[in-house]
Amino acid sequence: MTLNLAVLATALLQLQLDQLLPETQQLVTEYVVPAVLFVVAFLAVWILGKIALVPLIRRVLDEQGHDPSVKSLAESMTGVVNVVLAFAVAFTVAGFGSVIAAFGVFAGAIALAVGFAAQDILGNFVAGIFILKDKPFEVGDWIEVNDITGRVEDIDLRVSRIRTFDNERITLPNGELADNAVKNPVAYDKLRQKFVFGIGYDDDIEHAKEVILDEADRNPGILDDPATSIRVTELADSYVGLQTRFWIDDPKRSDFVKTRSDFVQSVKERCDAEGIDMPYPHTQLLGGIEVEETHAENGAAPADD
């Protein structure tokens, strides 16, 4: 009797195992193995990207001499691409292709909605990337854009900050800097300046040129090469205009504005000493006024009313 019970129990246990084994195998095949493959593939691609891809991008940017902000942005974007690539490969290896397709459609819809909602921000962001890459100006440069003039204090990915010469800070979206003409007087190692000196019609033009050139030679901030040149450019109502073109080395604003001011002042004082007239516009009224006195016919003065 006991033997029969033992045999029966063993048979029931074997039956339960035979029923559970296919379910367990199916569970392992459908879930455990893909999960392990997903984790292994993700870690393998992510680690490979961290070891190879990110250092490669950093080395390429260092060799090309890009701005630190550009290198930081590129490294961040490379890290994001590395993670997305690791997820895509892991989903593919694990056999979750349908998940990738669904995620791609969802991500596309989200990107489209975000693009419409934040197109100005994205435009400024892209403009900031091109400014940092192309370098139309750098931090410390003096620039002019529209009616704004000042030194660049900071170039961010979305905005740039300019300090005016009245010590005011102006924050400009990078899109505005990218869409408008930006004047950078200090982009090169030399800067040419122009100034028109007006002399009288009765003055000797050659003598005035000699005075101006002599004062340019005396000014230490004005270069000898290229040489200063003078051209008669105006025959105005009250003066003859002598346009003087002179060159300044290392054109920082604090230097070349002072050089220009000193040069103009020295020319004015020298012309006064040499007797060269520097007239200013004036108006002269010519003519007379007639006063007609009317008398009564009888010769008597008119009586008051």
Side-chain angles (χ1 to χ4, degrees), residues 50 139 167 217 247 266 280 292 302:
K50 292 285 289 185
V139 174
N167 204 32
D217 292 337
W247 291 83
S266 65
Y280 54 88
E292 182 178 353

Side-chain angles (χ1 to χ4, degrees), residues 259-281:
T259 300
R260 177 191 176 106
S261 175
D262 292 344
F263 175 53
V264 173
Q265 180 177 343
S266 65
V267 171
K268 172 64 170 65
E269 294 173 350
R270 178 75 177 276
C271 286
D272 291 342
E274 296 281 343
I276 300 174
D277 187 24
M278 303 187 79
Y280 54 88

Side-chain angles (χ1 to χ4, degrees), residues 86-238:
F87 270 111
V89 173
F91 275 121
T92 303
V93 171
F96 298 148
S98 59
V99 175
I100 297 178
F103 178 76
V105 174
F106 177 74
I110 293 296
L112 184 62
V114 172
F116 277 113
Q119 53 183 340
D120 290 339
I121 296 177
L122 293 176
N124 292 327
F125 183 81
V126 173
I129 295 176
F130 281 103
I131 289 174
L132 291 172
K133 177 182 178 297
D134 297 336
K135 295 183 179 180
F137 53 84
E138 298 179 354
V139 174
D141 285 354
W142 167 36
I143 66 171
E144 297 179 11
V145 53
N146 294 333
D147 296 329
I148 299 172
T149 303
R151 284 195 180 276
V152 179
E153 274 195 330
D154 181 48
I155 304 174
D156 206 344
L157 288 176
R158 190 179 65 85
V159 298
S160 295
R161 297 171 183 86
I162 298 174
R163 174 182 288 185
T164 68
F165 300 117
D166 294 328
N167 204 32
E168 301 170 332
R169 172 180 288 181
I170 298 179
T171 302
L172 286 174
N174 287 329
E176 184 173 344
L177 292 172
D179 294 338
N180 291 281
V182 178
K183 180 180 178 181
N184 187 352
V186 296
Y188 303 106
D189 57 350
K190 295 183 181 69
L191 177 67
R192 191 180 73 175
Q193 290 282 281
K194 295 184 292 186
F195 190 87
V196 176
F197 294 99
I199 64 173
Y201 274 89
D202 296 332
D203 292 310
D204 187 347
I205 294 178
E206 294 301 324
H207 182 202
K209 286 183 177 181
E210 293 175 0
V211 169
I212 296 172
L213 291 174
D214 186 48
E215 291 302 317
D217 292 337
R218 294 171 181 267
N219 194 311
I222 297 178
L223 295 176
D224 295 330
D225 185 19
T228 302
S229 63
I230 304 174
R231 298 288 186 273
V232 177
T233 56
E234 296 183 53
L235 294 176
D237 293 337
S238 58

Side-chain angles (χ1 to χ4, degrees), residues 61 65-72 132-133 135 138-139 155:
L61 294 176
H66 285 287
D67 189 87
S69 300
V70 175
K71 292 189 286 187
S72 176
L132 291 172
K133 177 182 178 297
K135 295 183 179 180
E138 298 179 354
V139 174
I155 304 174

